Amino acid sequence: MSQEQPKRPQDPIKYGDVLPVSGDLAQKPIAPEDAALMQSAESRILGHTQPGGVASVMQSAATRNEQAGIVGHGDITDVTGERGVSVTETQVPGQRIITESVGGQVVGQFVEPTPVQSGKTGVVRESALTIGEALEATAHTVGDKPVEQSDAAAIQAAEVRATGSNVISPGGLASMAQSAAAYNADCPSEEEKIKLGDVLSGATAKLPADKAATRQDAAGVASAEMRNNPDATAIPGGVAASVAAAARLNENVTNVM
């Protein structure tokens, strides 16, 4: 009678396995928050996620790593968290050069044709992630988490900083989040609770205004989230974590016009 052999633990998919990187980054497993940030960066410049591109590769690897229990749904690689991801666009007559980087290392580059515009050459624009895009990244990383008061407070703080107004718009993100938190507090069924993904999907379009995330924005959102959390901590992969990751990325962004 044959016995089933125990399954060997699955090896993590590391950056060095799928992308041309070296050093410490090459040995790091690709995490879900890394992939979410690259998806937002690609969408910012390209208008969509490039099929078969860097973000797509990272998402596939992160999903497999999560399924294998190697990384958590809200995890971010320390190198990526510190140095960020970026997508840059260099325009020259008749084409634009797209360069994608992770942790300061170039991992992809391709050329797209563009209409020729006289008098404008050598324009470089780099992706600065907005608060709205950071909220959308939260929907990717912890979208299945029921909305709690700490989440609602963080979303409200993010909306205030994105719009520059303390007035909470009826039907806006903050209003939706507060209603969801109140509903969930009295809802006995976990399945029926309103999730963060329900509120934050398409967050950029739901905001009346938006802005690039800064360290000050991240600090304000984190303070609101922790003040309203009984444990006085930020949620891994949550609203504060996503805004902080976007702010760190933006510190490395330089616009040359």
Side-chain angles (χ1 to χ4, degrees), residues 156 159-160 163-170 174 208:
Q156 179 173 329
E159 181 178 287
V160 166
T163 62
S165 171
N166 289 318
V167 178
I168 303 304
S169 303

Side-chain angles (χ1 to χ4, degrees), residues 176-213:
M176 291 171 60
Q178 290 290 352
S179 296
Y183 172 83
N184 288 348
D186 296 326
C187 181
S189 171
E190 287 294 318
E191 294 295 324
E192 295 180 4
K193 288 185 177 181
I194 301 170
K195 309 299 193 296
L196 276 171
D198 299 326
V199 176
L200 295 179
S201 294
T204 301
K206 296 175 183 176
L207 287 170
D210 203 359
K211 66 182 285 289

Side-chain angles (χ1 to χ4, degrees), residues 10-74:
Q10 182 175 325
D11 292 332
I13 301 177
K14 303 173 184 176
Y15 274 97
D17 296 330
V18 294
L19 295 173
V21 297
S22 59
D24 190 36
L25 180 61
Q27 303 304 315
K28 300 290 185 180
I30 299 177
E33 182 77 0
D34 303 3
L37 287 172
M38 182 56 82
Q39 285 178 326
S40 293
E42 278 195 4
S43 296
R44 174 78 171 175
I45 292 295
L46 304 175
H48 57 84
T49 299
Q50 183 78 358
V54 174
S56 177
V57 169
M58 289 175 63
Q59 183 60 59
S60 296
T63 298
R64 287 186 57 184
N65 285 342
E66 183 183 350
Q67 290 173 344
I70 296 165
V71 296
H73 192 58

Side-chain angles (χ1 to χ4, degrees), residues 19-191:
L19 295 173
V21 297
S22 59
D24 190 36
L25 180 61
Q27 303 304 315
K28 300 290 185 180
I30 299 177
E33 182 77 0
D34 303 3
L37 287 172
M38 182 56 82
Q39 285 178 326
S40 293
E42 278 195 4
S43 296
R44 174 78 171 175
I45 292 295
L46 304 175
H48 57 84
T49 299
Q50 183 78 358
V54 174
S56 177
V57 169
M58 289 175 63
Q59 183 60 59
S60 296
T63 298
R64 287 186 57 184
N65 285 342
E66 183 183 350
Q67 290 173 344
I70 296 165
V71 296
H73 192 58
D75 285 358
I76 184 170
T77 304
D78 54 358
V79 177
T80 307
E82 292 169 5
R83 303 194 63 186
V85 304
S86 66
V87 178
T88 64
E89 173 191 71
T90 303
Q91 294 187 358
V92 296
Q95 63 184 14
R96 64 174 182 168
I97 304 169
I98 307 297
T99 304
E100 299 181 86
S101 302
V102 176
Q105 299 188 46
V106 175
V107 295
Q109 190 172 64
F110 59 94
V111 177
E112 288 186 341
T114 59
V116 177
Q117 296 182 359
S118 60
K120 292 186 179 181
T121 61
V123 178
V124 178
R125 180 165 64 91
E126 189 164 333
S127 170
L129 288 177
T130 67
I131 291 174
E133 288 170 329
L135 294 177
E136 290 180 2
T138 306
H140 284 292
T141 55
V142 290
D144 292 333
K145 177 187 179 297
V147 180
E148 298 177 346
Q149 185 55 44
S150 59
D151 303 312
I155 292 169
Q156 179 173 329
E159 181 178 287
V160 166
R161 289 182 170 274
T163 62
S165 171
N166 289 318
V167 178
I168 303 304
S169 303
L173 282 178
S175 177
M176 291 171 60
Q178 290 290 352
S179 296
Y183 172 83
N184 288 348
D186 296 326
C187 181
S189 171
E190 287 294 318
E191 294 295 324

